[in-house]
Amino acid sequence: MAPSRQRKNVLLFSIIIVFTLIVARLFNIQIISKYYRINAENNALKYETLYPARGLILDRNGQILVSNKITYDIMVTPVEVAEFDTLEFCSIFGIDTSFVHSKFREYRKYRSRIGFQTLPFIKQVSGEHYNIFIEQQYKFPGFSGTPRTIRTYPINAGGNLYGYISEVDAAYIKNNPDYKQGDHAGRTGMEMAYEEQLRGEKGYNIYLRDAHNRIKERYEEGEYDKAAVAGKDVTSTIDAILQAYGEELMQNKVGSLVAIEPSTGEILTMVSSPGLETSKLAEINKYYQEIVTDPYKPMFNRAVMSPQPPGSVFKLVNGLIGLQEGVITPATAYSCHGAYTVGNLRVGCHGHPSPLDFRRSIMMSCNTYYCYVFRAILDNPKYEIIRDSFTKWKEYVESFGFGMKLNTDIPSEQAGTMPTAEWYDRLHGKNRWRSLSIISLAIGQGEIGSTPLHLANLAATIANRGWCYTPHLQKEMPDNPIDPRFKERHYTMVDTSWFECVVEGMYLAVNGGPGATGRLASVSGLEICGKTGTAQNPHGNDHSVFICFAPKDDPKIAVAAYIENAGFGSTWACPISALLVEKYLNGEISKERKWLETNMMNGYLLDRVTVSRR
Amino acid sequence: MGRSIYRKLDWTIITCYIVLVLFGWVNIYSSLYQEGAFIFDFSMEYGKQIVWIGSSVVLALLILFALPPKIYAAFAWWLYALMGVLLIAVIFIGANIKGSNSWLQIGSMRVQPAEFSKITTSLALAHLMSSKFDFSFKNRSDALKAFLVLLLPMLTIVLEKETGTALVYLGFLLMFYREGMSGWILIFGLSVIGIFIMTLVFSPYISILIVVGLVSVFVSLVTRKKWVVAVIIPIVVLLGFIPSLVSDIGSVEKPATEIVSMEIDTDDAVDELASIADSNMVSAESESPSKSAVVLRKFFSRFPAEIWLVFALAPLILGFLTKSLVKRQKVLRNAMLSMILGICLVFSVDFLFDNILKDYQKGRIEVLLGIKEDPMGDGYNVHQSMIAIGSGGFFGKGFLRGTQTRFDFVPEQTTDFIFCTIGEEWGFAGSLAVLAVFLVLLIRLINSAEKQRDRFIRIYGYCVASILLMHILINVGMTIGLMPVIGIPLPFVSYGGSSLWGFTILLFIYVRLDLERWR
């Protein structure tokens, strides 16, 4: 081979080596490595989040309680912000320049973490501000506006039930990884309980952007875009008219008013007064400081969060336990001479005929009678020591739901308080206590604390003659079933047969004529059965308590009213409950009882409350 | 004769040319495509490229049918001289575009003489090397003349700050090799690059070891003393570990001194540090029972490891050099000289790198060698370019569907980085196809040149092939991170009037000269 020919081949060989190197490299970066493909997507795809409309909350009749309206968020992408006229920007939104400066100081501080992200700058800007901004947007590179929906409440009622939504924080995201910064979630009330149904599904539009982060066009003509799915509407069991009426009755009073439909456990009305105005709920951030510093704690849902001694209405429970334990019969009568006295101990009573049988003891709410009953239960020879009889009694009481969470769909629900044998052991010494040591429990005083919802549940249980459904706020709809736990009957440990005579006693308490404690609740034709209570309270005036249901033989509504520091049960809680029942069953208040309605609505009891109590 | 000129034309070359030019235009269009783009929008580069393609076709036809082929040899020197004047002129009167002074502005037209100087240099070299009957690289004056003709335009272009284009002229060395230049010059050149890279990537110490090792192995193989290889390799490997051993001895005492300085800073950590210090004391005692190790370390740390290595090697190399001179052993002498040269080069790398190269050039080389990663700075171009090509996958994203090139992530996407669009939109398959066309063109050119009876035409043919090869290697290599970023176009494919005209003329002069074979 001639040397020149050999050299030609060396050259050809070198060329082929060079090409092979290039092809190998191409093969590596185009076929083997995924790194470049992922980077290309990060480079060029910009996801625009589409927020879904949050589901509505309706009342049991389809009336809208919570719906949406549009406001605008001003967003900022810090890396894109060029110099702009801060003063002009601030004047558009009526904000202070220091706000802008502090925001940008923060962005600089966290610039590496923020990167190319877009963050909310000013939230919930009104439509007018937004329109001015859009016209001038070109002057503020890096800023943009995003419409988003906020909550609006057509009627000002039920503020404590719905709860509020707010932007999720870092802790929330940590526990709920499918939320991202800027998302909103229900944080209390029904918004929280039904977050899954209400939230809907976020969607996104994918855009292609260039190296300067300018949006160029839809990615694949929107083929991979995802539309937002609106949240599901949730129908609540609340009766909007009744709720509003209840709030009207409870205005200027501290306490709760709860109404349940006994046959379903649906909560018709739940008033906690003073409550949260729905207009403040929508912009919770703005009013947050005002709300939390309000001495009456409007955010505090007393109906489920405030355990108080139940007072005389608890006699019904003790009576039922006595009947079930066989220590009394409906015919058992005890005499009362104004007090129950043993040695130094004296439980006072009020003037009433004596002796009283079981039914009339309820009608007239005799303290003495229930001291006897309670002691008979605890000193029952069936049990060797009081510890056992007390524990049995406690089991009975707990079967009515007292001292525990009812497991409703109200997130803030509290269990109330319930003493235990151990607790008394610690207080008095082991087995050094007797029935007399805890005699206050006979009349619903002492160590027991129940929420108004417990009492309403008791009313519903008695109305049903011995069972109840767990109270709940979501109404079952054909397309939106409720949790199965709300369709489970809960029976008490007392036989259903014993309830009839309690009902009769409650009927007498309202309609029994002279001596009946709840006479103000009597409405002709409604057959209201009720029981008053006056809960003593070491901190101030007695609390006014009343539970009732109606009509007697086909109960449609069970009500509990607990009005703090209002005095006798018969003067405030009783008429207010009865008015609510009448409103619900008749739709309006009869002429003869209008005066009562006016009195109740005008009653101003706030000054009776020592606000520093809590 | 007899056959019509159309049958005689080298249609393989012409077809490759047409395919590349058209595919280039398609990709220029695609990389600038926006919705509602109009093909004949002459304000856009794809519109202008139509004009360049049209005028190139006219140029090609002129060369093929109008101009007599004899003029190339006849005017080679004139053209070369004229181009020299132009190249120098643009340094002073040229428009400064993107930091280079290589553009000549005539009205709204801009011409880059450097693109055409490749043609005139090719012609001049071909003429020089063919006109003298006994031209040989063994003849010093002949070789000197050839290198002079090559270096003059190259240096002028470096002065125009178009270093990249100047590098292309190194391609002529391939032609020189074909025409009889010693292959050692190529090997020497590659070795210089190799030493440069090794020194930057590893260390001068390792670099010296490899140089000495390789030369020794080479000598022992040539002198048929194969047993020496078995001795050299273990010695080199052993020596490779010495610096790390030396630094290990040093590391025993080091933490203790750090602790002393830290104790002053923080009071809280004193207890913790004290315990660390204790443990260090224990280990120090157990590992270096005598003070001799510390003394040794102090002694060795006076000079860096590579200096000690040179101290050790110097007597050996000088000894062998003296022996080779006395006994007139040419191989040994050259080997020892190249060792000395190699070692000198290793020590000058840092100096060259820091003082001769500009910052951006240093940055590009550091990124290429993986010494630093800087995807937002010096590495941005290559990083984005590789993302674009890499995201193409096997079949690519499809025509007009590339996101990286179209949306400006890749810089210069119609000129220097046009291969990104090909890689992204046509994938591995498309890239391979383009490379295949280039390969066919190159092989065809070399085979065709080899057939020429006329030395002028053969040399010119090799010039064309060498220039194209350098452009492809540098341009494509740059887009896939095999080469530092050097801004030169991809022949026939990249946008640009000067470059398309230049390559068209370069190629079609050869196609025309090739016809002379049939006479």
Side-chain angles (χ1 to χ4, degrees):
Chain A
M1 200 186 278
S4 64
R5 223 173 164 73
Q6 199 183 336
R7 293 195 160 202
K8 174 206 147 191
N9 287 339
V10 168
L11 286 177
L12 280 181
F13 187 65
S14 315
I15 290 175
I16 286 166
I17 286 183
V18 164
F19 273 70
T20 312
L21 271 176
I22 291 175
V23 169
R25 178 74 165 184
L26 280 173
F27 188 78
N28 184 26
I29 67 172
Q30 290 190 300
I31 311 236
I32 294 173
S33 170
K34 284 200 173 72
Y35 171 83
Y36 301 101
R37 240 157 294 167
I38 293 163
N39 266 289
E41 281 182 12
N42 291 348
N43 256 349
L45 301 187
K46 179 164 182 143
Y47 284 75
E48 180 199 55
T49 309
L50 303 174
Y51 289 98
R54 201 172 165 85
L56 309 181
I57 299 179
L58 309 170
D59 95 330
R60 60 191 293 113
N61 302 314
Q63 157 81 42
I64 293 172
L65 296 173
V66 183
S67 71
N68 301 311
K69 77 174 178 200
I70 289 181
T71 62
Y72 301 89
D73 283 357
I74 303 302
M75 311 293 284
V76 65
T77 312
V79 288
E80 289 170 31
V81 174
E83 253 178 58
F84 65 98
D85 188 340
T86 317
L87 269 181
E88 194 180 358
F89 184 82
C90 290
S91 71
I92 294 178
F93 299 109
I95 52 171
D96 203 60
T97 50
S98 64
F99 172 80
V100 177
H101 291 312
S102 73
K103 277 271 189 187
F104 274 94
R105 220 170 295 132
E106 200 180 308
Y107 295 154
R108 256 194 301 283
K109 196 169 160 195
Y110 299 113
R111 62 184 177 280
S112 60
R113 201 184 311 161
I114 291 167
F116 292 91
Q117 282 184 70
T118 302
L119 308 168
F121 193 72
I122 313 173
K123 284 173 208 157
Q124 296 181 6
V125 171
S126 72
E128 305 106 77
H129 283 160
Y130 179 72
N131 286 336
I132 302 170
F133 168 73
I134 286 300
E135 281 171 23
Q136 320 227 343
Q137 195 180 357
Y138 67 94
K139 295 181 190 168
F140 311 113
F143 288 92
S144 59
T146 322
R148 87 176 294 153
T149 51
I150 63 162
R151 289 308 219 184
T152 175
Y153 307 85
I155 51 174
N156 181 15
N160 289 80
L161 302 178
Y162 315 137
Y164 63 88
I165 51 178
S166 72
E167 193 179 325
V168 294
D169 52 25
Y172 192 92
I173 295 171
K174 204 178 162 196
N175 296 327
N176 304 274
D178 49 337
Y179 286 80
K180 288 212 169 63
Q181 197 187 355
D183 288 356
H184 284 60
R187 309 307 290 276
T188 56
M190 291 189 77
E191 299 274 22
M192 178 178 170
Y194 294 105
E195 171 70 14
E196 273 312 303
Q197 299 175 33
L198 291 167
R199 68 185 285 210
E201 258 179 78
K202 280 191 295 185
Y204 46 79
N205 287 337
I206 311 173
Y207 294 96
L208 290 169
R209 64 173 165 200
D210 67 8
H212 315 292
N213 213 14
R214 287 179 302 225
I215 299 272
K216 302 301 272 193
E217 61 194 56
R218 302 293 285 269
Y219 177 64
E220 299 285 330
E221 277 149 24
E223 199 184 315
Y224 298 106
D225 291 359
K226 187 164 166 283
V229 180
K232 241 183 186 175
D233 294 349
V234 169
T235 303
S236 81
T237 58
I238 295 295
D239 184 311
I241 297 167
L242 199 64
Q243 176 76 28
Y245 184 70
E247 288 184 15
E248 220 176 330
L249 289 172
M250 291 294 287
Q251 67 193 357
N252 298 324
K253 299 160 192 76
V254 175
S256 318
L257 181 60
V258 182
I260 297 175
E261 185 176 71
S263 58
T264 56
E266 292 172 0
I267 297 170
L268 299 169
T269 292
M270 181 178 273
V271 181
S272 172
S273 179
L276 210 51
E277 279 172 49
T278 53
S279 59
K280 291 182 181 171
L281 200 55
E283 291 178 271
I284 191 89
N285 289 334
K286 202 159 140 192
Y287 296 103
Y288 199 79
Q289 209 49 40
E290 182 190 321
I291 290 167
V292 295
T293 52
D294 187 326
Y296 293 106
K297 307 218 178 306
M299 197 107 109
F300 183 69
N301 188 354
R302 291 172 172 76
V304 289
M305 294 171 80
S306 170
Q308 301 277 7
S312 298
V313 295
F314 194 67
K315 289 170 182 167
L316 300 171
V317 179
N318 276 332
L320 282 163
I321 298 169
L323 291 169
Q324 178 68 23
E325 282 284 276
V327 297
I328 56 163
T329 67
T332 305
Y334 293 108
S335 57
C336 168
H337 305 289
Y340 176 78
T341 326
V342 181
N344 291 337
L345 185 114
R346 182 176 188 278
V347 178
C349 192
H350 52 95
H352 58 77
S354 171
L356 298 172
D357 67 359
F358 181 72
R359 291 178 182 83
R360 301 212 317 148
S361 75
I362 294 170
M363 168 186 168
M364 304 201 192
S365 195
C366 175
N367 286 347
T368 308
Y369 191 95
Y370 286 93
C371 289
Y372 283 119
V373 172
F374 187 64
R375 290 200 67 191
I377 297 167
L378 289 188
D379 299 337
N380 191 342
K382 209 163 69 175
Y383 305 100
E384 279 177 20
I385 50 168
I386 186 151
R387 194 188 171 80
D388 291 347
S389 56
F390 175 79
T391 306
K392 185 73 185 173
W393 173 83
K394 182 168 164 278
E395 273 173 38
Y396 274 114
V397 175
E398 282 171 347
S399 76
F400 284 86
F402 289 98
M404 59 177 68
K405 286 185 186 179
L406 295 175
N407 200 12
T408 63
D409 51 359
I410 305 166
S412 54
E413 185 193 359
Q414 295 294 309
T417 55
M418 188 66 168
T420 59
E422 289 73 33
W423 197 84
Y424 287 121
D425 276 347
R426 271 204 300 282
L427 191 69
H428 303 286
K430 196 162 173 73
N431 296 327
R432 299 268 307 274
W433 47 285
R434 298 169 297 139
S435 56
L436 269 180
S437 323
I438 55 173
I439 195 71
S440 318
L441 291 174
I443 54 170
Q445 296 292 145
E447 291 80 12
I448 186 165
S450 63
T451 64
L453 183 67
H454 282 126
L455 301 182
N457 191 46
L458 173 65
T461 308
I462 296 170
N464 288 335
R465 275 66 168 176
W467 59 267
C468 67
Y469 288 118
T470 302
H472 52 272
L473 278 173
Q474 190 192 10
K475 188 167 171 59
E476 177 149 75
M477 298 304 278
D479 60 335
N480 203 354
I482 56 172
D483 193 286
R485 73 178 194 270
F486 298 134
K487 294 170 148 191
E488 220 178 279
R489 280 190 186 195
H490 300 286
Y491 284 88
T492 68
M493 283 162 62
V494 176
D495 291 345
T496 51
S497 56
W498 292 120
F499 281 84
E500 201 53 52
C501 51
V502 172
V503 170
E504 282 162 19
M506 287 173 75
Y507 181 76
L508 288 175
V510 175
N511 307 295
T517 49
R519 285 190 304 276
L520 274 176
S522 170
V523 183
S524 61
L526 291 188
E527 296 194 302
I528 297 177
C529 307
K531 176 75 192 80
T532 56
T534 305
Q536 287 164 13
N537 155 26
H539 309 288
N541 292 335
D542 294 347
H543 301 316
S544 173
V545 192
F546 191 73
I547 66 168
C548 67
F549 63 88
K552 178 170 170 258
D553 293 318
D554 179 22
K556 295 264 190 295
I557 180 169
V559 178
Y562 202 106
I563 300 159
E564 294 177 25
N565 307 102
F568 294 117
S570 50
T571 47
W572 290 103
C574 166
I576 284 175
S577 306
L579 286 165
L580 194 74
V581 171
E582 188 180 1
K583 178 79 174 177
Y584 183 66
L585 294 178
N586 290 348
E588 54 180 5
I589 305 302
S590 63
K591 259 193 198 131
E592 308 89 76
R593 291 169 59 81
K594 274 284 177 197
W595 65 272
L596 190 62
E597 182 186 42
T598 318
N599 273 2
M600 288 301 120
M601 285 184 179
N602 292 343
Y604 185 89
L605 306 178
L606 286 182
D607 49 6
R608 295 195 191 177
V609 180
T610 41
V611 289
S612 58
R613 185 165 43 82
R614 256 174 208 288
Chain B
M1 288 298 279
R3 298 169 77 171
S4 103
I5 188 167
Y6 299 104
R7 306 266 319 258
K8 289 183 220 154
L9 277 173
D10 192 332
W11 284 105
T12 309
I13 292 175
I14 297 172
T15 309
C16 287
Y17 171 82
I18 293 171
V19 166
L20 290 168
V21 166
L22 289 183
F23 194 58
W25 180 83
V26 163
N27 284 293
I28 292 165
Y29 176 71
S30 183
S31 62
L32 295 175
Y33 174 78
Q34 304 280 332
E35 260 171 290
F38 176 54
I39 292 177
F40 297 102
D41 182 347
F42 290 107
S43 68
M44 298 300 289
E45 289 182 352
Y46 45 81
K48 290 183 194 161
Q49 184 76 350
I50 292 177
V51 177
W52 299 127
I53 292 172
S55 50
S56 295
V57 170
V58 173
L59 276 173
L61 292 174
L62 269 175
I63 291 165
L64 286 182
F65 303 114
L67 294 174
K70 288 214 168 65
I71 60 162
Y72 302 116
F75 289 101
W77 286 123
W78 290 106
L79 290 169
Y80 181 77
L82 183 71
M83 190 52 71
V85 171
L86 266 180
L87 283 176
I88 293 166
V90 284
I91 298 176
F92 302 106
I93 59 165
N96 189 329
I97 291 167
K98 289 174 193 161
S100 93
N101 287 328
S102 63
W103 295 83
L104 197 62
Q105 185 114 22
I106 307 164
S108 66
M109 286 262 294
R110 272 195 222 129
V111 186
Q112 201 175 15
E115 289 293 345
F116 301 96
S117 135
K118 289 169 216 158
I119 307 166
T120 55
T121 310
S122 301
L123 290 173
L125 282 172
H127 184 59
L128 171 78
M129 290 162 70
S130 61
S131 57
K132 189 163 170 260
F133 170 69
D134 58 350
F135 179 92
S136 166
F137 276 97
K138 293 197 175 81
N139 179 330
R140 263 187 210 162
S141 100
D142 284 355
L144 202 67
K145 275 184 205 160
F147 275 104
L148 208 63
V149 170
L150 170 61
L151 282 174
L152 276 178
M154 224 178 131
L155 291 175
T156 328
I157 290 167
V158 170
L159 290 178
E160 289 174 7
K161 294 172 193 158
E162 278 282 324
T163 325
T165 309
L167 282 178
V168 171
Y169 284 73
L170 291 178
F172 285 114
L173 292 178
L174 297 176
M175 181 274 283
F176 282 4
Y177 171 70
R178 163 61 185 81
E179 295 302 321
M181 184 187 75
S182 166
W184 286 109
I185 293 180
L186 291 183
I187 291 176
F188 176 77
L190 291 174
S191 305
V192 169
I193 297 171
I195 289 171
F196 203 81
I197 292 173
M198 275 192 303
T199 310
L200 285 177
V201 174
F202 304 117
S203 68
Y205 183 86
I206 299 284
S207 205
I208 291 172
L209 268 186
I210 291 175
V211 168
V212 173
L214 281 179
V215 174
S216 312
V217 168
F218 176 78
V219 172
S220 52
L221 286 177
V222 169
T223 54
R224 312 237 167 137
K225 288 174 184 167
K226 286 184 183 159
W227 58 271
V228 182
V229 178
V231 181
I232 293 165
I233 290 176
I235 290 176
V236 167
V237 172
L238 272 178
L239 285 172
F241 285 108
I242 283 190
S244 58
L245 287 177
V246 171
S247 64
D248 273 352
I249 298 169
S251 70
V252 174
E253 206 189 29
K254 233 181 180 178
T257 55
E258 275 171 9
I259 286 163
V260 173
S261 62
M262 281 165 75
E263 256 179 333
I264 302 160
D265 295 339
T266 53
D267 292 340
D268 302 343
V270 167
D271 288 0
E272 203 184 330
L273 288 169
S275 67
I276 296 171
D278 285 343
S279 68
N280 271 314
M281 293 292 280
V282 171
S283 66
E285 276 163 20
S286 61
E287 277 182 23
S288 57
S290 69
K291 283 180 182 172
S292 60
V294 179
V295 175
L296 207 66
R297 191 194 60 79
K298 272 187 180 163
F299 176 72
F300 276 118
S301 64
R302 247 181 238 176
F303 297 107
E306 57 266 25
I307 302 284
W308 284 109
L309 187 63
V310 172
F311 284 165
L313 288 171
L316 277 173
I317 295 174
L318 292 176
F320 277 115
L321 187 61
T322 326
K323 184 193 163 202
S324 68
L325 289 173
V326 173
K327 295 197 173 177
R328 306 203 171 184
Q329 287 165 320
K330 221 177 160 190
V331 175
L332 192 62
R333 186 199 71 195
N334 287 348
M336 290 305 121
L337 286 177
S338 54
M339 260 192 211
I340 293 167
L341 203 64
I343 292 169
C344 292
L345 191 68
V346 168
F347 283 106
S348 59
V349 162
D350 278 342
F351 175 81
L352 290 174
F353 193 68
D354 289 336
N355 297 292
I356 304 292
L357 293 180
K358 301 206 171 60
D359 278 345
Y360 76 94
Q361 290 168 329
K362 280 197 304 199
R364 286 170 179 183
I365 289 170
E366 281 172 339
V367 166
L368 177 76
L369 297 181
I371 295 168
K372 79 173 180 187
E373 277 194 28
D374 185 11
M376 295 314 285
D378 287 322
Y380 177 83
N381 291 357
V382 177
H383 190 243
Q384 294 297 338
S385 150
M386 286 175 72
I387 286 174
I389 295 174
S391 67
F394 192 85
F395 287 112
K397 298 177 184 168
F399 181 50
L400 302 182
R401 296 198 141 189
T403 54
Q404 306 301 300
T405 42
R406 279 171 57 209
F407 297 146
D408 302 342
F409 288 103
V410 178
E412 309 284 336
Q413 70 268 50
T414 56
T415 53
D416 299 344
F417 283 91
I418 189 71
F419 195 73
C420 292
T421 310
I422 298 172
E424 190 184 12
E425 298 196 346
W426 305 91
F428 183 65
S431 313
L432 215 57
V434 171
L435 288 172
V437 175
F438 273 123
L439 190 61
V440 167
L441 181 60
L442 287 175
I443 292 174
R444 179 75 182 181
L445 274 171
I446 288 174
N447 281 332
S448 159
E450 207 59 48
K451 283 184 209 150
Q452 305 296 338
R453 282 162 294 170
D454 187 334
R455 243 176 125 183
F456 177 81
I457 302 176
R458 183 183 73 211
I459 293 171
Y460 183 77
Y462 265 102
C463 287
V464 176
S466 305
I467 291 167
L468 291 182
L469 176 68
M470 288 304 279
H471 270 271
I472 296 160
L473 171 64
I474 293 175
N475 181 286
V476 177
M478 158 186 87
T479 61
I480 57 179
L482 282 179
M483 285 275 163
V485 175
I486 293 169
I488 59 168
L490 188 61
F492 314 119
V493 179
S494 285
Y495 167 80
S498 289
S499 105
L500 186 57
W501 280 13
F503 285 116
T504 304
I505 296 169
L506 183 75
L507 187 68
F508 277 88
I509 288 177
Y510 179 76
V511 176
R512 177 64 191 90
L513 288 175
D514 182 44
L515 288 176
E516 296 301 298
R517 242 184 333 140
W518 302 96
R519 274 210 316 199

